Amino acid sequence: MTALEIGIASFPALMVLIFLRVPIGLAMFLVGLIGLVLVTDGTQVAFARLKNETYTTFSSYSLTIVPMFLLMGHFATLGGMSNALFKAAEGWLGHRKGGVAMAAIGACAGFGAICGSSLATAATMGRVALPELRQYGYAGGFSTATLAAGGTLGILIPPSVVLVIYAILTEQNIAKLFLAAFIPGIMAAVGYLIAISVYVRLYPESAGTRPPVPYAERFAALVQVWPVLLVFGLVVGGIYLGWFTPTEGAAVGALGTGVIAWLNGGLTRASLTESFLVTARSTAMIFFIVLGAAFYNGFLALTQVPQELSNFVVSQGYSPWTVLALILVFYLVFGCLMDSLSMILLTIPIFFPVISAMDFDLVSLAALQADAAMEVLKAGVPEGMSAETLASIKDAIASGAELTRDQMKELGIRVTRGMANRMEAEHVAIWFGILVLIVVEVGLITPPVGMNLFIINAMDRATRMVDTYKAVMFFVATDLIRVVILVAFPAITLFLLG
């Protein structure tokens, strides 16, 4: 067999191991190791790569952000932030039809802003909100579906551990990815609120009512969420304002939530030790998956499978939008079977070169030139520019035509095709990353194997899984609509990038 054939054969071998319930990190590592032995006709290269890959993977400074965000989530739970968020949202929304479920979604969104993990958000908010939902007569399937869907906001609203891994894999700016995820994350929360509103109108018996809370209590509860706003503003705002790097921001967030948890009495010597141990176990699991993926993807690169796949797809002349749609459908299907981190680590090195080779025309050279020209003209017409030249520049801008070299010289600007291509590549990478993040997270709540569904149903044994499946499809529908909107209008994702 040729190296390319061995690379292609590794995919079914990997799927067999995964379906045999071999941990995905170990499965990728074993397939990569055996594949390297077969391709290089010996163990020397494979073992040498094992040593080098282990060091280069775990010496990455960017990866230190992962345990910091995980620890921040644990401290936030100990500090009572999840409960404070839910009580505040419930005070303002709970008296409405379906209001307690809406409050759970709002609390999940708030907790996701300081957690970064989907499963952790679902489990934490499940413990807080499920008793309240039961108390006020909410149907079991509707309650569990709401919390499972709300859990996905944990990585959709920045900061997000999965986005950090994606940024490292594709060599993108973490801060820009966080910024791009903000609007889609808000859209997700709003979509879930709409889904709840529709559901309780179609099935009025599924949601009870809660007495209104006096405004004094509402404002008092709102005051209690100041730690969340403080941490989120400090971490995310500090990153965007350039006060510190994303890694430093994660450390600041972990320290801030730790201090708040200590002041609230939730952080003791015992709980601090437990937080470190839980974070260490979670980090070890994530890092082993990262190592397995790095080893497997290194093997694939040696076999030239990603490059050959990219060349094949481009040579077929398929529309970039068709290729993107097929990739997103793939993620929707396989997202039901694997967790989001594993999916991204496994597939991004294969699909990203394909997407990068496509021309989505997100950035126009003429538009970049027009923006630069308008900035110059706002300050006044450059000295010495003739009326004819000024008129020709304005005509070019109005018609969407590219400026000539002489016109740019007169304006004193320099916008080249290479600059547009580099910006196009960055925008495509960020836009694709957000889309992948969304569709993989949809898989977490898509029957029959949505991981969030099992986590929440395990906390409510009295509810049948089939009831959760029926109710969660309303949330899946809003997710699919959101994906279509973001695919059709990339500017929504890229708006905050300027």
Side-chain angles (χ1 to χ4, degrees), residues 83 86-87 90 100-101 104 122-140 143-144 147 210 456 459-460 463:
N83 189 64
F86 180 69
K87 288 300 182 183
E90 188 182 33
V100 180
T124 300
M125 296 312 304
R127 287 191 293 269
V128 172
L130 265 178
E132 290 285 310
L133 289 165
R134 291 195 199 102
Q135 179 181 347
Y136 293 109
Y138 281 70
S143 301
T144 51
L147 292 168
R210 184 188 189 282
I456 297 298
M459 302 170 70
D460 187 9
T463 298

Side-chain angles (χ1 to χ4, degrees), residues 76-77 79-91 103 107 111 125 128 218 220-228 264:
T77 302
M81 296 184 191
S82 55
N83 189 64
L85 283 165
F86 180 69
K87 288 300 182 183
E90 188 182 33
F111 193 74
M125 296 312 304
V128 172
R218 296 186 193 185
L222 202 58
V223 171
Q224 296 302 311
V225 303
W226 71 263
V228 178
N264 289 343

Side-chain angles (χ1 to χ4, degrees), residues 106-167:
C108 286
F111 193 74
I114 54 174
C115 178
S117 168
S118 176
L119 300 181
T121 300
T124 300
M125 296 312 304
R127 287 191 293 269
V128 172
L130 265 178
E132 290 285 310
L133 289 165
R134 291 195 199 102
Q135 179 181 347
Y136 293 109
Y138 281 70
F142 178 43
S143 301
T144 51
T146 297
L147 292 168
T152 65
L153 299 174
I155 67 170
L156 289 179
I157 294 180
S160 166
V161 171
V162 176
L163 274 184
V164 171
I165 301 298
Y166 176 85

Side-chain angles (χ1 to χ4, degrees), residues 340-421:
S340 53
L341 179 62
S342 300
M343 276 288 291
I344 285 177
L345 283 166
L346 176 63
T347 59
I348 287 300
I350 299 170
F351 289 148
F352 185 69
V354 175
I355 290 296
S356 298
M358 298 287 170
D359 182 14
F360 290 93
D361 197 25
L362 299 185
V363 177
S364 164
L365 176 60
L368 287 180
Q369 291 175 338
D371 289 341
M374 292 302 294
E375 284 296 321
V376 173
L377 294 177
K378 280 181 184 178
V381 178
E383 186 178 350
M385 179 181 290
S386 66
E388 291 78 11
T389 301
L390 177 61
S392 66
I393 291 172
K394 289 183 176 180
D395 288 342
I397 293 174
S399 63
E402 295 178 9
L403 300 178
T404 66
R405 184 175 300 178
D406 289 338
Q407 288 172 330
M408 286 193 291
K409 187 176 179 180
E410 288 281 347
L411 289 165
I413 62 174
R414 183 175 180 272
V415 181
T416 64
R417 178 73 60 183
M419 294 167 62
N421 290 341

Side-chain angles (χ1 to χ4, degrees), residues 203-221:
Y203 305 101
E205 72 285 354
S206 64
T209 57
R210 184 188 189 282
V213 175
Y215 277 95
E217 293 184 22
R218 296 186 193 185
F219 284 108

